[in-house]
Amino acid sequence: MRKTFDRPLLLIVVLLVLGGFFIFSSASLGLLAREGARFSSVAASQIIFGIIGGGIALTLTANIHYRFWRRYAFYLMVFSLFLTLLVFTPLGMEHGGARRWIDIGFTTFQPAELLKIAFVVYFATWLSGMHKHLGSVVKGSLPLLVIAGIVGAVMLKQPDTDTFAIMLAAGLAMFMTAGGRWRDIGIAIICGIVLIGALAYFRPYVMDRFTTFLDPSLDPQGKSWQVQQSLIAIGSGGYMGRGFGQSIQKFEYLPEPIGDSIFAVLGEEFGFMGTVSLILLFSLFALRGLKIATESPDLFGTLLVVGFVTIVVMQAFLNIAAMISLAPLSGLPLPLISKGGTALLSTLASIGIILNVSRYRKPLRGQNRGVVKS
């Protein structure tokens, strides 16, 4: 049984964080051309809360036995839901038509980032204890819908549809890993499609994302502006890019150059080689993480790793796909790279849990890890 962290995964994370801050630093220069933007405060938040705070969080969670979280999963879930509900109080801050942040004076933070961790921990705890009963509707799929419904009610009220979709994807991946039946997986997917259709009908901005995806040339000065400018930025980068700091689109054309559009800045400055390198790093992160999951000593550890890896990788690839018009715009930031000190901190904290699981992994010897049943 290993007692050291998985060094390849740690190296991949270090490369993503350092390379991400390198890209973030260049993209942040675009704020200087925007009225009211505060470059110093954004950079300070990213360094203090994201890199330094996230590094401390990763170190702590990497040294706490992962089974510790199982004992306090319920309390962590309740606490994170309580914090998330605070966005609807006077402490909540609204931006862009959504209430997702809590203002504590010297900074703001998004409690949904903690809720993502709590959801994975709580769901892994529940699945690892009930995996033998997943074939039952009452003990299997129904509790899954109840848990997802409670989280969904809070997230969709903000609204934060994209984060909720990522959490659902992680939950479904964990459910499959624990031995969920294809019947229930199919029902969950159908319910998800129906929910998306309902959201598109009742919330015009969701419908706009799909129409823009189907026809990126539609309304280039309005709804399609972001994807059009992103494609221009990435296309102008060519094979090797314009060079560090040389992006033009980040100054006045790309919305949120340090947010969900940061991949376009990377494409313009580092070209095809830079974008492929980033995609390769996230792919290696996924492969290494899943290897750790298959070698976990118990199902709980496996589910933790599958959940956290799914959240990070799916969010990354959905962001990238949206920027190159292969998926509808989601507003999701690029993990470990985009603006968001608390987002970076929480992501590194979850990666620390993965690293802790890697300390106790062992080669498989025919154990039943939990497989999808027909």
Side-chain angles (χ1 to χ4, degrees), residues 231-242 266-272:
L231 291 172
I232 290 172
I234 295 172
S236 64
Y239 189 71
M240 296 299 294
R242 295 177 180 271
L266 166 69
E268 185 175 7
E269 296 190 350
F270 296 96
F272 176 77

Side-chain angles (χ1 to χ4, degrees), residues 197-212:
L199 289 173
Y201 181 79
F202 290 105
R203 295 181 175 177
Y205 75 91
V206 177
M207 179 63 75
D208 289 343
R209 292 178 180 181
F210 284 102
T211 56
T212 299

